[in-house]
Each structure stands twice: as C-alpha cells, then as structure tokens.
C-alpha cells in the first residue's frame, strides 16, 4: 500500500522516510528511480528529480531539486516541475524546491555529488548499462568549494587567464591553471582530475600540470600546446561591466501572483514580513535569484499556478538560464530569503530534544526504570579534564595570578584569563579562555582579550583561544574547573569607580552578608554554584539553592530536582560554607525566616532553562575586503573543505569556531576573534544568535578534539606542506606525505612529580603569591613547554565515577597512568559496571559485549530491528541502550542505514545520533 495514498506517483512511495539522497529520472513520460551507483551521472537530454532528506533538530527536512538538461525537451521539463510539486505536497508541503539548470546549478545541489557532475550527451535509460564511449575533451572548471565543470570546444580560443582547464586525452590528463585563477580553484580542479582518472581511465593515466605563462624547458608544456597546434599567447579577456562596477545595485521587487497567474507589483519602501499574507502567493525578484513564496492557507492549485507563472516569466523575459528559482511554502523560508526583509521576526521553535526525552522517559518508565535517574545530558568531555589549570584576574594593566585555592572562585564584575594545559595524543595542548563577567566593564573586557593574546604569542605552538561570557559558558569550561563558584561584584578598579559614580551599592560577595546561590551541573565533576539576586523570584523548582543569612545556612530542594542535584548541593556547600551545619528545606515547607531573608514570598519559575546542543553545524567561508564582508556556506562539508588559504567559520549555534588556514590573509588570533564577533552580528542563519555566544579561534594543524568531532577526521591531512594545490597534487601523484611534525613535548616523556599535591601547588607561578605580572614581560617559558617536570597548579583530580553507585578510587590513584589502569581493571572485574550489568545472566542473549577500536560493539548475538527500536512492542533486553544499532546484523544495518557499520562509526557523533534518531534507535 502506498505511503502517500492516491494521487501520488507510485515511484515516490516511501520517499523521504529517512535521511539520505533519492533520485528519479523522467523516461518515456514516466518517473523511474535511478539506482544509487548512478547518482551523480546525468544526461543532458534528460530531466531529474532529486530529494535530499536531512534530520535537523529532530525533524526530517526535505529539499527537492528538479534538474533540467540543456538538451531536454519541453514536455519533460514541465512534467519534472509538476512531479516535484507533487512530491512536495505528498511530504506535507514542507520542502524547499529548487529549479536547477545544467551549468547553472546551485552550490547546495552540487554538494550532493562531490567532486562534480559532468553531464553526458544523450538520454538516461533504465533498461541499459550506461557505458560512455571515451572521447578527448576540454573542460573548464570553476569554483573554490564546489566544481562547476563544463565542456568547451577543444580549441585555443576556449582558454583564458581566469579559469582552470582540464584537457582529457587518451594517455594523459593536462591541468591548465589560468594565471588569475585562485589556489583553491586549482586544488578543486585536481579533485575533478582524480574523478576523471578513476571513472574514465580506470585509474591508469598520467597527469601533467601546466601553469599559465610558464612554458620554457618543460616537455609537458610543449605536449600540451601541441594539442592546440603549437603555442600562441592567450587573448586577454575584457572584464564584463557589471551593475556593481557602475555603483548600481539591482533593485529587489515583490509581486503578488493573482489566481489568473498575473504579476501585480507591490510598491513599498522597505520589505517586511507583514506584507506577506498567508492566503496569497508572491514572487520576489532579486535579479540573480527569484523566490516564489506560497502562503500556508493557499490551495494546491494556487501554488501550482504560482510555480507555472514564475517559470513562464523567466521564459518570456529571456532569463530562463540565469536566475536561481526557489519555491518556498510559508514556514520553510531560507536564511537568504529572510535577509531581503527588514526585521524578519524570530519564532520560537518546538524543543524537540525535550519532547524526545519525554518519549524516552515514558519508555523507560514502562520498562521499570526510575525516570528521575535518566541523565539530563549525554555530555562527555572530548578532552582530558585532568590537566593543569591557571587563572589570572585582569585589572587594567595588572594581570594577577590567583592562588590555587582561589582559582575556582570568579566574580561577575571581573574578567579572567584561564589557561588550561592537557594531554592529547601524547602532545601538550594549550587552551586559553577570556572569561568576561556579566557586570564587567567594557575596557576590562578589551584588556583581557589583549593580555590573553600577548600570553598566547609568548607560547610556542598554536594554542586554542576562546572568548566566553558569564552565563554562556560551554559545558567543557565547567568540566575543566570541575567545581566553580561565581560571586556577585568584583575587585576591578574600573568597576569600583563605575558604581561609585553611579551611586550603586557594591554587591561584592562578603561571607558575613546574606547571599543566595543556585547549584547546577551535570555530574559531581561538573558543578557550579552561581550567586543570584537575594529575592524569591530567583528560585526555580528544578534546582537546589544555598541561602546564607550570616548566622544560619539553609539548603532549599526544589520539587523537580533529582538526587543528582542533591549530591551537587552537598559538594557546593563544602566549597561555599563548610563550617556551618545547614538546615534542609523542601519546597513548600519553608519557614517564615526563609522568606523574610528573600524579601517576602513571590512567584518564581518552575521550568529549568534548557541548554542548547551543537546540532547541524554549518561551515562558511569568510572574507573581509575593505570593510565588505562576504559569507558563503559550504554545504555537506567535509574535512577537505578546510583549505589552507581560507578563514572559515564553523557555526554550531551554541558556539562558533573561527578556523585559520596557515596561508590565510588573517594572521592574528585577535583579528580572527574580531571577525568572529562580526559574523555573529551578521546573523547569517537568521536565528538571532546571542552576541555572547562563545567564539573559539583554531589554527590549521592544531585542531582540538572538540573541533574535529564535527568531521570525519584524518589528522595526517592537516600536517601536509604547501598550499592547497601543492598538497592535493602530491596526493594525486602518489607521492609520500610531506608532513610537518609540530615540535611539542609529550607529557609522557617527562617524569611525573612524586611530591604531594600541596607541595606541587606551591611550586607554580613566577612568585606563587598572585602578585602582578607585567604585560610587557610574559615570560611563560618557566611554566609552559620547557620544563623537564610536569608542574601542577591544581590538585590532581579524583578518578571519574562512571556511575553514581561506583566506588571512588581517588585515594588509590597516585598518577594519571595508575588512574587509567584502575579504571580499566574496574571494568574488567565488574566493579565499575552498573548493578544491572554485573551478572552475566543479566546480559540476556547477547553474551559479553566488547568495544572495538572503531567505536562499534563486538556482538555475540543480534536482534531484529523491530525489537531494537524505541517503540518496540517486544523490546530486546540486556543490551547497551546507547548503541542499539550495533545489535543489527550487517545486512539489516546496511538496509536501514544505507552504509556499513565501519563507515557509520567513522561519522562524527552528532551525525551518528541524527541517523539513529530517524530510525527510532536514539
């Protein structure tokens, strides 16, 4: 039975049910599916429909493209438009539709078929094998991150100085780089050469690279020009005069599309969202881009008329091969479309993560588990959080090193520099944070970033640098501190002067005064106590609080707080006030004295604020020339898109990364940070990001794990010598990788100190007393990277508990190596396993479970998909619920995921989770 019911072409049955790419072609006026091995192989005489389905924020989203070959007939082209509309309607009219013309495709479309598409002549036929007859050809290749490949006449007149050309002959492929072409464009063309070599020559073909203007004494150059009858200068092209060169920018026009298919222009000074009515369809003409917007309450016939009207307009105006034509239904607007309107309103989206947690909680409750014990966040630090920590407070030109006992106590009116040093793949890595208090003075913030940059410049290597604001800290920051207290007020001279001038009472924390702290965190090694306003409105039923009144201490337990929150409360109490015996109060049983301290009982929130998650990251190229900023998205990005000449922005919504290529024009991390802040102001995605979003600066070849986790990562690629073209050429020719090895000292090569934590902490810092350090003389060599002994500025952390009921082996762990040994042994003997997995009999039919090096599980027995999915009526028992997919057989895994287990476990974690979510396995 068809999934979509009557009226929908049977070829679309099951379309869009899971993430991935689906392709159909029109053959003899019928829709036929294109097998996966032929995805990306297009014929210029055919038309195709392409559906890309992706999981974003828990929802399957669809993009529909219909591709029109240059030699396709008119009837098939119209049919493709109709069928794309039909598919969109079947999917609930939530898809974005794109009209793709051969040679004028969108970058999003080309990103599905990397490295390129090279349409063949003729028509697609489902009844025969499409083996192309080889013939010599000349191709032009344009684009930095996607390749626009077009065949041109095999003639000298086709060559120019601006583009890259590929001459494909029977025995050799020639790559000719115009002198005005970019290095990224040449590198991308090499990917096309590799594709041609494999697809047309069976991998057996020579390669010659020809650089425009250099031809003396090179036999490859002579052979190349002999193909064109001998060398002759290339005629210089006259650059076409554009509207922008005349200082004229094309005018954006908005039209209402009537029921009769007529265009009626709407004249307005500024475009605003309110102009668009839900019961009408509109055409937005932006010259090079045209959008058709269809209101949510319009009928299917009205929408079909509007699509036909837009296509007819392009044909009658002679623009059918120029503008990109996009169709949007109300609610599916792209960021680019929204950018043409002033103040497009932000809409609150459904929190699907919380909705999903609710469903999972119901399933667990049905199976007899205590729902309160479900973890609130599946967060695991991607770096070692047992490294060394130093914290400086900034006060104008003074940079004060905090004593070890005080470095986890920050004040909201101050700014701090945090230096964290940790071990990653046997190398010392450095991470610097500029922590800017919510009530700090702007000049202090600027000074903090400046001082931090000076510190970083004094260190060999390429530390990661980040700017974070109080209240917007990444979870990793908290994990590094393990336990953190943030007090009100501060000690900054500028802050003190500011409140005096404004006549404001100094709120700087004093233990003798009444104070209120909210306790939060994800586990005992990630706990924060945040001082909040001393009023009842600061309470929240989801948290626990500490109220100090000077003489007494109360602990307040919200009704929605969990046992984990109560454990964190005890840990925070030891940090804030360990000398007083607290009075524990449950929400609803507060004495009058409690409310009196909080200035009377009042309404307060009972819903915990949900933190965002790094989901669906976007990668952008970022250029800034004479104040003009250009941002362009790289769709379906991979590690290979990190080209060394670029400055790139990885936008993860809750934090952004500015990636600096070694050959990029931006050389200063502080300059890169400024560009990162400008990117936030641009609001490229149209999601209204906070200007206090954490910004990380990452340099090529020194990417930290919390950056690389968003890619399928090969570290050897980031250490190659040369520009992007030279690197890819070396790989293509099969030359040995020329790798630059960063000279960084390994912690494992230096003996660990056997002294106690107390004596170690006294040995840290230039003076150990927190005295002022001159900004002009940041001599970090005595503390960082050159010492023969690892130095500690904080006590050795205790061994992490895997489960709340596991024993604490902190006393036995004398070193990190011993801690790791203890951890492994604990897993072997079962002492660190949860109670329900300690007995072999409780493992059910799976037997023992072993984790392989690639992250998959070594399964002894498998279960069918219907027993593994969350909504199963007969759920499998005794399995690792975090890795349900591992219990599928290889055959069923391939069927459900469309890839092997090995390929799946090489994907970034966030992509794995998205795929699992579509299949109800997560």
């Amino acid at each position: 039975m068809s999934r979509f019911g009557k009226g929908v072409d049977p070829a679309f049955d099951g379309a869009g049910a899971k993430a991935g790419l689906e392709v159909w072609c029109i053959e003899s006026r019928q829709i036929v599916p294109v097998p996966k091995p032929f995805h990306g192989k297009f014929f210029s005489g055919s038309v195709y429909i392409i559906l890309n389905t992706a999981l974003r924020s828990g929802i399957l989203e669809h993009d529909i493209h219909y591709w029109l070959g240059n030699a396709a007939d008119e009837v098939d082209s119209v049919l493709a438009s109709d069928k794309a509309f039909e598919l969109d309607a079947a999917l609930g009219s939530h898809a974005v539709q794109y009209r793709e013309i051969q040679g004028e495709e969108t970058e999003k479309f080309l990103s599905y078929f990397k490295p390129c598409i090279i349409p063949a002549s003729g028509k697609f036929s489902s009844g025969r094998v499409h083996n192309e007859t080889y013939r010599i050809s000349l191709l032009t290749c344009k684009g930095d991150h996607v390749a626009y490949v077009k065949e041109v006449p095999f003639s000298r007149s086709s060559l120019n100085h601006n583009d890259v050309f590929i001459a494909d002959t029977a025995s050799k492929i020639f790559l000719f780089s115009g002198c005005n072409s970019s290095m990224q464009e040449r590198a991308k063309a090499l990917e096309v050469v590799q594709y041609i070599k494999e697809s047309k020559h069976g991998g057996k073909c020579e390669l010659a690279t020809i650089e425009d203007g250099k031809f003396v004494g090179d036999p490859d150059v002579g052979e190349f020009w002999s193909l064109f009858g001998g060398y002759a200068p290339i005629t210089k092209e006259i650059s076409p005069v554009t509207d922008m060169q005349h200082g004229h920018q094309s005018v954006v026009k908005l039209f209402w599309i009537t029921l009769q298919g007529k265009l009626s222009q709407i004249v307005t000074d500024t475009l605003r969202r309110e102009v668009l009515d839900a019961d009408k369809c509109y055409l937005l003409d932006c010259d090079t881009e045209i959008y058709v917007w269809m209101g949510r309450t319009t009928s299917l016939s009205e929408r079909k008329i509007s699509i036909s009207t837009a296509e007819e307009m392009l044909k009658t105006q002679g623009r059918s091969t120029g503008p990109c034509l996009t169709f949007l239904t109300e609610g599916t607007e792209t960021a680019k479309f929204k950018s043409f309107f002033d103040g497009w309103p932000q809409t609150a989206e459904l929190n699907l993560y919380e909705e999903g947690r609710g469903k999972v909680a119901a399933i667990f409750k049905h199976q007899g588990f205590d729902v309160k014990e479900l973890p609130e966040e599946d967060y695991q630090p991607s770096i070692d959080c047992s490294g060394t920590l130093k914290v400086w407070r900034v006060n104008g030109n003074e940079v004060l090193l905090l004593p070890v006992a005080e470095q986890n106590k920050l004040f909201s009116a101050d700014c701090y520099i945090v230096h964290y040093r940790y071990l990653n793949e046997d190398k010392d890595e450095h991470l610097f944070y500029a922590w800017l208090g919510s009530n700090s003075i702007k000049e202090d913030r600027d000074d903090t970033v400046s001082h931090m940059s000076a510190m970083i410049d004094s260190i060999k290597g390429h530390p990661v640098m980040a700017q974070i604001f109080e209240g917007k800290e990444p979870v990793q920051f908290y994990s590094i501190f393990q336990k953190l207290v943030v007090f009100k007020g501060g000690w900054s001279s500028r802050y003190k002067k500011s409140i005096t001038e404004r006549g404001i009472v100094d709120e700087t924390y004093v233990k003798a005064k009444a104070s209120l702290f909210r306790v939060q965190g994800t586990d005992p090694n990630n706990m924060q106590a945040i001082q909040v306003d001393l009023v009842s409105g600061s309470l929240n039923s989801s948290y626990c609080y500490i109220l100090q009144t000077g003489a007494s201490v109360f602990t307040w337990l919200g009704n929605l707080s969990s046992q984990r929150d109560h454990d964190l409360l005890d840990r925070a109490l030891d940090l804030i006030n360990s000398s007083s015996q607290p009075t524990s109060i449950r929400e609803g049983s507060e004495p009058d004295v409690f409310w009196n301290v909080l200035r009377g009982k009042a309404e307060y929130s009972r819903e915990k604020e949900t933190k965002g998650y790094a989901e669906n990251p976007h990668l952008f190229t970022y250029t800034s020339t004479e104040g003009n900023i250009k941002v362009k998205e790289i769709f379906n990005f991979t590690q290979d898109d990190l080209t060394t000449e670029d400055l790139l922005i990885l936008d993860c919504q809750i934090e952004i990364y500015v990636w600096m290529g070694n050959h990029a024009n931006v050389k200063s991390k502080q300059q890169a940070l400024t560009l990162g802040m400008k990117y936030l102001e641009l609001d490229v995605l149209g999601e209204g990001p906070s200007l206090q979003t954490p910004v990380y600066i990452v340099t090529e070849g020194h990417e930290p794990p919390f950056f690389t986790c968003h890619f399928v990562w090969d570290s050897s690629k980031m250490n190659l010598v040369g520009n992007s073209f030279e690197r890819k050429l070396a790989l293509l020719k099969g030359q040995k990788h020329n790798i630059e090895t960063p000279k960084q000292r390994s912690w494992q090569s230096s003996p660990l100190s056997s002294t106690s934590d107390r004596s170690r902490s006294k040995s840290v810092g230039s003076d150990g007393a927190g005295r002022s350090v001159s900004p002009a003389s940041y001599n970090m060599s005595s503390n960082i990277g050159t010492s023969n002994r690892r130095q500690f500025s904080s006590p050795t952390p205790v061994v992490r508990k895997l489960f709340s009921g596991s024993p604490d082996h902190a006393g036995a762990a004398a070193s990190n190596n011993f801690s790791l040994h203890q951890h492994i042994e604990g897993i072997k003997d079962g002492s660190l396993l949860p109670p329900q997995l300690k007995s072999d009999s409780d493992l059910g039919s799976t037997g023992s479970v072993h984790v392989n090096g690639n992250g998959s599980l070594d399964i002894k027995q498998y279960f069918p998909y219907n027993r593994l999915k969350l909504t199963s009526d007969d759920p499998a028992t005794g399995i690792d619920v975090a890795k349900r997919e591992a219990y599928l057989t290889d055959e069923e895994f391939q069927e459900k995921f469309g890839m092997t287990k090995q390929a799946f476990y090489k994907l970034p974690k966030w992509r794995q989770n998205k795929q699992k979510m579509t299949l109800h396995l997560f």
Side-chain angles (χ1 to χ4, degrees), residues 827-828 833 837-852 856-863 877-880 886-887:
I827 293 178
K828 287 181 179 179
L833 290 175
L837 292 184
K838 284 184 179 180
S839 171
D840 287 341
S841 61
D842 291 333
L843 290 174
S845 59
T846 62
S848 59
V849 178
H850 303 284
V851 181
N852 294 326
S856 64
L857 296 183
D858 182 12
I859 306 298
K860 301 302 181 184
Q861 186 173 338
Y862 300 94
F863 292 94
T877 59
I879 64 172
D880 182 347
Y887 298 89

Side-chain angles (χ1 to χ4, degrees), residues 501-521:
E501 291 175 348
R502 292 181 293 164
I504 298 175
V505 176
D506 189 353
E507 291 186 311
T508 302
Y509 173 77
V510 177
K511 189 173 182 179
K513 293 183 179 179
S515 56
L516 181 66
F517 293 87
R518 182 182 70 244
V519 179
Q520 60 189 40

Side-chain angles (χ1 to χ4, degrees), residues 234-255:
I234 298 174
T235 304
K236 288 188 177 181
E237 285 187 334
I238 300 175
S239 299
V241 178
T242 64
D243 287 342
M244 292 299 293
Q245 287 174 310
H246 282 298
H248 172 71
Q249 193 170 7
S250 58
V251 178
V252 176
K253 299 177 183 178
L254 181 66
F255 299 88

Side-chain angles (χ1 to χ4, degrees), residues 562-595:
S562 65
Q563 182 58 49
R564 185 210 60 187
D565 296 318
H566 305 165
D567 295 339
L568 293 178
L569 180 63
D570 294 337
R571 188 175 176 88
L573 197 61
D574 289 339
L575 195 62
I576 296 173
N577 193 331
S578 60
S579 58
S580 300
Q581 183 64 32
T583 301
S584 182
I585 301 173
R586 282 274 182 183
E587 180 180 2
S589 60
E590 301 87 352
D592 291 340
V593 64
F594 179 86
W595 295 119

